[in-house]
């Protein structure tokens, strides 16, 4: 029996016992230790379905119970509408695991790895057309939904820097392109235009004032959408291994020290521009109100957090950026924020088929939040550029 997967965040519903039974049956197919004692929804992802699986292992000596070990795992159903080739996603995660195994990791840095299914080295399970995987759980760590202090901002930036440094010597041809067109803004713009034409062709399609404002906003910025791709085509920027989704809640901070110790959500690790990552990390980290802010007018881009994120990043990326790379940091922050707004808006026009939503205008609202952030970035362009200049070696 397939698990139902309405496009709502898993944390919004309690697991029915029927669903739990199915999840348990799936989890036991993987090489996990002990007896499953609970499965609960985990995280805030917009794409995959994520669960925490907790197992208990009883350690006996001379038939006397010595210890009860609790082990946690992360089980996910990969959204195949977004990742049509999940086996490539898993292949990339394995490339990362092998790379890390042959490289000394920074002290206290953890790379989540995939757990194979029983009696096999395959790291995913296909069941009734759905793809499942089990990952190691990063213990003694937490994620933030939004950044509250410059110390946290430094750590979020440092996490991305450590990650980039770590993967910088993986040859790009060793990584599959799991999501062609990901972060290629001109492609998203084309999809948006097609979606808009289709929506406008529908007789009597209602266009709210909010939608009309968003459409105008996009139209006014159409001229700069190829800034990164054009620099790539001119050879000023190069494709390198990237994380692809370094938003704040994909960084794990040690619960004791507050130091970054892992980057999770490795689905979008693939060749790309490090600028997509730097831009996305600042986009997400410098918005104190968060992506889901109810109050759009309260949204702004925080310069102090931006400086701290970039400082943290550069302290750990260890010279992976050259002069041209610095030239495009402002553009990256601006473009990736605009791009996410455009992606939300496109999904709204398409009827919410990509990002999980919990109300019909959810993606429109998310687009408005990102566009408000874009405006704030534009208003502070010279200050952001000055921060980048001060950090240029
Ligand atoms: C999606 O699923 P999640 O939350 O990790 C999206 C990112 C967006 C993000 C915005 C594969 O990530 O690109 O930045 O939502 N992932 C994909 O919250 O499209
Ligand atoms: Mg993701």
């Amino acid at each position: 029996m397939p698990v139902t997967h309405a496009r709502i965040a898993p944390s919004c519903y309690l697991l029915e016992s029927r669903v739990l039974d199915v999840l348990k049956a799936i989890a036991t197919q993987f090489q996990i230790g002990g007896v499953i004692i609970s499965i609960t929804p985990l995280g805030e992802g917009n794409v995959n379905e994520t669960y925490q699986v907790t197992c208990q292992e009883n350690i006996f000596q001379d038939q006397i119970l010595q210890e009860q070990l609790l082990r946690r795992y992360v089980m996910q159903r990969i959204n195949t509408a977004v990742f049509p080739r999940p086996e490539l996603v898993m292949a990339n995660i394995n490339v990362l695991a092998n790379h890390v195994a042959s490289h000394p990791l920074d002290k206290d840095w953890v790379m989540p790895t995939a757990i194979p299914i029983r009696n096999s080295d395959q790291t995913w399970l296909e069941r009734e057309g759905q793809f499942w995987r089990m990952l190691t759980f990063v213990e003694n760590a937490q994620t933030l939904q939004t950044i509250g202090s410059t110390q946290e901002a430094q750590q979020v930036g440092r996490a991305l820097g450590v990650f980039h440094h770590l993967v910088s010597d993986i040859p790009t041809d060793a990584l599959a392109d799991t999501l062609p067109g990901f972060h290629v803004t001109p492609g998203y713009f084309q999809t948006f235009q097609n979606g808009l034409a289709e929506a406008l062709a529908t007789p009597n399609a209602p266009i709210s004032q909010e939608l009309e404002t968003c459409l105008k906003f996009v139209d006014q910025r159409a001229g700069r959408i190829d800034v990164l791709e054009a620099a790539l085509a001119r050879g000023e920027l190069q494709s390198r291994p990237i994380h692809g989704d370094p938003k704040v809640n994909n960084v794990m901070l040690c619960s004791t020290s507050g130091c970054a110790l892992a980057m999770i959500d490795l689905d979008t690790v693939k060749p790309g521009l490090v600028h997509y990552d730097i831009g996305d990390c600042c986009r997400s980290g410098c918005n104190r109100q968060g992506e889901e802010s109810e109050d759009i007018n309260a949204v702004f881009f925080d310069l102090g957090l931006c400086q701290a994120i970039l400082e943290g990043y550069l302290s750990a990326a260890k010279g992976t950026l050259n002069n041209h790379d610095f030239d495009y940091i402002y553009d990256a922050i601006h473009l990736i924020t605009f791009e996410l707004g455009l992606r939300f808006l496109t999904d709204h026009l398409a009827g919410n088929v990509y990002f999980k939503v919990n109300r019909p205008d959810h993606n429109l609202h998310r687009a408005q939040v990102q566009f408000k952030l874009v405006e704030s970035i534009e208003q502070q362009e010279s200050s952001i550029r000055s921060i980048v200049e001060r950090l240029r070696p």
Side-chain angles (χ1 to χ4, degrees), residues 245 247 250 265 267-268:
D245 191 6
K247 60 180 183 178
N250 281 335
D265 190 359
D267 296 331
T268 44

Side-chain angles (χ1 to χ4, degrees), residues 64-80:
I64 298 170
L65 181 63
Q66 300 290 319
E67 218 184 327
Q68 288 192 311
L69 287 182
L70 283 188
R71 291 185 210 280
R72 293 192 280 182
Y73 302 91
V74 176
M75 185 166 87
Q76 290 186 301
R77 185 182 69 82
I78 303 180
N79 180 342
T80 44

